[in-house]
Amino acid sequence: MSPRSEEANIQIKDDRQKQILCSALKVFIHKGFAAAKMSDIATEAGISYGLMYHYFQSKEEIYAELVKGAIEASKQALEKAQKEETEPIDKIRALIVRIFASVGQHESAGYYFVLMMGAMTSGAYPALSMEGPQGPGRPFEMLVRIIEDGQRKGQIMQGSPAELATTFFSAILGLASLKVSGTIASMPDPGVLMRIFQPASQAKTK
Amino acid sequence: MSPRSEEANIQIKDDRQKQILCSALKVFIHKGFAAAKMSDIATEAGISYGLMYHYFQSKEEIYAELVKGAIEASKQALEKAQKEETEPIDKIRALIVRIFASVGQHESAGYYFVLMMGAMTSGAYPALSMEGPQGPGRPFEMLVRIIEDGQRKGQIMQGSPAELATTFFSAILGLASLKVSGTIASMPDPGVLMRIFQPASQAKTK
DNA sequence: GTCTATAAATCGATAGAC
DNA sequence: GTCTATCGATTTATAGAC
């Protein structure tokens, strides 16, 4: 037991966990949860098979940890957008630009969205649901609130805010899926997606 | 060997295959390819486990057959839209309405789209690719051609037709995924998606 | 054509040496 | 902390009876 071994071990432990999570994200996305083998993740991370179970209890725990991170990241992104002192429509524009840029540049950003899509459709994560009992901390509802603000100010077309939000989310998730799989080479112009929100009156009066 | 046994057997064989394919589609969508067990499909179809292998050689063959059907169905839907003697923008509108209606009403229609999404991202089916060497029979390119027509006639916003098509496809695939998983209860208003194509000049001059 | 039983292979999780 | 070896459970695919 050398003097600094405790701190160093904590550091190693933290690094290894991040390393495993990062590798697992790649593997989960490219193969899906069921097809992803623990040996795949171990190989990707460059460690032995058995060591995986020193840091995580099961494959599901790794997946759950990743989803937790994805939910947290999207919450923070939406909170950041909401706090900016700009018009609602500009908050949405900034959000799209930021998302497209991160997905276009960093593989892992796109992975996070695809992971969320999978977690959403599995129905195992209440924080990602769009229907049912509402909870103020859900990313979906945070977007709905921004849309409602924009409608009150006449910047966004009238109609169900939930419908607009789901269509928006669907396009983002779909685009991210196609991007990380290499089906499309780059993300489209943010303006294309902005049109979903555009009120007819805005184009008329301009 | 009774007189009509041959015809009857052919009929039985055809029915069973369709029955298995239909059950497999449900199971694949809800669990993913890897997690879908042959026993799940057999139970869903109401037949024994072993009988599956009398009609299909492997799980992959069943999946490939389903993807083949999905590609064929989308080709036909796009050909139907293209043949109608209406304006390009109306062809797209009719396409969206038809897709939303079928996905909203019949589970299997939504399944087909989700299946296509999975097949697309796996990269194993060239007919579903959006990049790379072009082939005139691909559903994606058929949509691009309709968009180009619409742009020439000023009905659709200017810009990369491929970008518009990918955004459109992404939203459809994303919405279908969320719909079949029960994440959203119903498809949104087709008009929301139509806005992606709307040229600024159209709203202005009206 | 249809079923049950079994073979063969795979994978998640654990045990124990270093 | 890290690795190798192994168990146990599950699953695909096949064999053979009816």
Side-chain angles (χ1 to χ4, degrees):
Chain A
M1 290 188 197
S2 56
R4 284 216 317 253
S5 64
E6 275 185 38
E7 296 174 29
N9 284 344
I10 290 174
Q11 183 62 35
I12 287 175
K13 184 166 183 172
D14 202 55
D15 286 349
R16 277 270 187 269
Q17 279 185 334
K18 282 178 186 167
Q19 183 184 5
I20 292 172
L21 286 174
C22 182
S23 305
L25 182 58
K26 284 187 198 171
V27 178
F28 280 142
I29 296 308
H30 284 126
K31 310 187 82 166
F33 177 79
K37 288 175 280 189
M38 289 294 268
S39 59
D40 292 332
I41 302 173
T43 303
E44 177 74 34
I47 61 174
S48 75
Y49 182 87
L51 193 56
M52 304 277 297
Y53 288 90
H54 188 76
Y55 291 98
F56 294 95
Q57 287 191 351
S58 67
K59 195 167 81 165
E60 273 214 42
E61 196 196 12
I62 297 177
Y63 183 80
E65 202 65 33
L66 284 172
V67 173
K68 193 175 145 193
I71 294 173
E72 196 52 42
S74 49
K75 268 189 192 174
Q76 284 180 6
L78 276 162
E79 271 171 12
K80 183 179 173 187
Q82 208 157 20
K83 281 178 185 166
E84 284 167 2
E85 294 188 358
T86 56
E87 295 301 317
I89 189 71
D90 295 319
K91 286 178 182 174
I92 291 177
R93 194 191 318 273
L95 197 63
I96 296 179
V97 170
R98 221 174 287 141
I99 290 173
F100 279 19
S102 63
V103 172
Q105 287 160 18
H106 315 290
E107 263 195 325
S108 59
Y111 291 163
Y112 255 179
F113 280 98
V114 181
L115 191 83
M116 279 181 63
M117 173 69 117
M120 265 177 162
T121 55
S122 82
Y125 299 87
L128 288 174
S129 68
M130 290 178 169
E131 309 274 339
Q134 300 175 348
R138 297 190 305 186
F140 177 71
E141 277 188 48
M142 296 170 72
L143 177 63
V144 167
R145 251 176 275 136
I146 296 178
I147 292 175
E148 286 170 342
D149 278 352
Q151 287 180 326
R152 267 190 291 273
K153 294 193 174 183
Q155 297 165 354
I156 292 177
M157 69 169 286
Q158 291 303 312
S160 162
E163 265 191 8
L164 285 170
T166 51
T167 308
F168 174 73
F169 253 119
S170 299
I172 297 271
L173 293 173
L175 283 167
S177 300
L178 297 181
K179 177 66 176 66
V180 303
S181 70
T183 307
I184 58 175
S186 60
M187 297 294 273
D189 187 279
V192 177
L193 211 49
M194 282 302 295
R195 288 172 178 274
I196 290 177
F197 302 100
Q198 195 176 49
S201 60
Q202 179 180 306
K204 273 183 194 170
T205 57
K206 186 164 187 180
Chain B
M1 290 188 199
S2 56
R4 285 218 315 256
S5 64
E6 276 184 36
E7 295 174 30
N9 283 345
I10 291 174
Q11 183 63 34
I12 287 176
K13 183 166 183 173
D14 202 55
D15 286 350
R16 276 268 187 273
Q17 279 185 333
K18 281 178 187 165
Q19 183 185 3
I20 292 172
L21 285 174
C22 182
S23 305
L25 182 58
K26 284 187 198 170
V27 177
F28 280 142
I29 297 308
H30 283 125
K31 310 186 84 165
F33 177 79
K37 288 174 282 187
M38 289 294 266
S39 60
D40 291 332
I41 302 173
T43 303
E44 177 73 33
I47 61 174
S48 75
Y49 181 88
L51 193 56
M52 303 277 297
Y53 288 90
H54 187 76
Y55 291 99
F56 295 95
Q57 287 192 350
S58 66
K59 195 168 82 167
E60 272 215 41
E61 196 196 11
I62 298 177
Y63 183 80
E65 202 65 33
L66 284 172
V67 173
K68 194 175 143 192
I71 293 173
E72 197 51 43
S74 49
K75 269 188 193 174
Q76 284 180 7
L78 276 162
E79 271 171 11
K80 185 179 172 186
Q82 209 158 19
K83 280 178 185 165
E84 284 167 2
E85 295 188 357
T86 56
E87 295 300 318
I89 189 72
D90 295 318
K91 287 178 182 172
I92 291 178
R93 196 192 317 274
L95 197 63
I96 297 179
V97 170
R98 221 174 287 140
I99 290 173
F100 278 19
S102 63
V103 172
Q105 287 160 18
H106 315 290
E107 263 195 325
S108 59
Y111 291 164
Y112 255 179
F113 280 99
V114 180
L115 192 82
M116 279 180 62
M117 174 70 117
M120 265 177 163
T121 54
S122 82
Y125 300 87
L128 288 174
S129 68
M130 290 178 169
E131 309 274 340
Q134 300 176 350
R138 297 190 306 187
F140 177 70
E141 278 187 49
M142 297 169 72
L143 177 63
V144 167
R145 251 176 276 136
I146 297 178
I147 292 175
E148 286 170 342
D149 278 352
Q151 287 181 326
R152 268 190 290 272
K153 295 192 174 183
Q155 296 165 356
I156 291 177
M157 69 169 285
Q158 291 303 312
S160 162
E163 267 192 6
L164 284 170
T166 50
T167 308
F168 173 74
F169 253 119
S170 300
I172 298 271
L173 292 172
L175 283 167
S177 299
L178 297 179
K179 176 67 175 66
V180 304
S181 69
T183 308
I184 59 174
S186 60
M187 296 294 274
D189 186 278
V192 176
L193 212 48
M194 282 301 296
R195 287 171 179 275
I196 290 177
F197 301 99
Q198 197 176 47
S201 59
Q202 178 179 308
K204 274 183 192 171
T205 56
K206 187 164 187 180

